[in-house]
Amino acid sequence: MTHPQIRSALPEEAEAVLAFWKESAEGTSVSDDVPGVTRLVERDPDALILAVADGVIVGSVIAGWDGWRASLYRLAVLPSHRRRGISTALLRAADERFAALGGRRVDAMVLEANEAGRLLWTAAGYERQDQWRRWVKPLDS
């Protein structure tokens, strides 16, 4: 296997990204569809960062920036490629993006039941903030 290339996703890769997430990511999102992924990449071409090896997506992270907050979502690595430094490379790319945009702190969305994810985020220097909870409301389409 070649060392993965870390790069921004392309709009035409939406189906491949969704297939990758189905195999590699914990949980699902209301935006897990081709229009949702395409809209993300078209609105902010550098937000969805991929690790690609031999033409196959082996890792991803969404590095969302709204001008105020730097937020990470969907950090995932293909099960057969874990423990090879891919998540570290993805997080480094996200940190570089946020720093260039003027970000000062990064928030990461992590499923409570994702034990492996919690260990990874802790090892990457993130700390859980128990005083915060996520509040959501779906928008009717």
Side-chain angles (χ1 to χ4, degrees), residues 5 17 31 65 68 88 90 94 109 114 118 122 133-134:
Q5 175 192 18
V17 167
S31 303
W65 171 254
W68 178 262
T88 300
L90 289 165
M109 293 294 297
N114 185 351
R118 290 198 332 258
T122 300
R133 290 292 180 262
R134 182 176 180 200

Side-chain angles (χ1 to χ4, degrees), residues 6 18-20 22 25 27 43 45 55-56 59 69 76 84 88 94 99 103 106 109 112-113 118 120 132 136 138 141:
I6 305 298
L18 290 166
F20 164 76
K22 188 173 185 176
R43 182 189 165 280
V56 176
R69 295 194 192 277
R84 297 183 189 184
T88 300
V106 181
M109 293 294 297
E112 190 65 30
R118 290 198 332 258
L120 178 140
W132 296 101
V136 298
S141 321

Side-chain angles (χ1 to χ4, degrees), residues 7-9 17 21 37 40-41 44 46-50 60-62:
R7 63 166 177 79
S8 299
V17 167
W21 284 343
V37 174
L40 168 68
V41 174
D44 186 348
D46 295 321
L48 177 51
I49 303 169
L50 301 179
S60 76
V61 69
I62 297 173

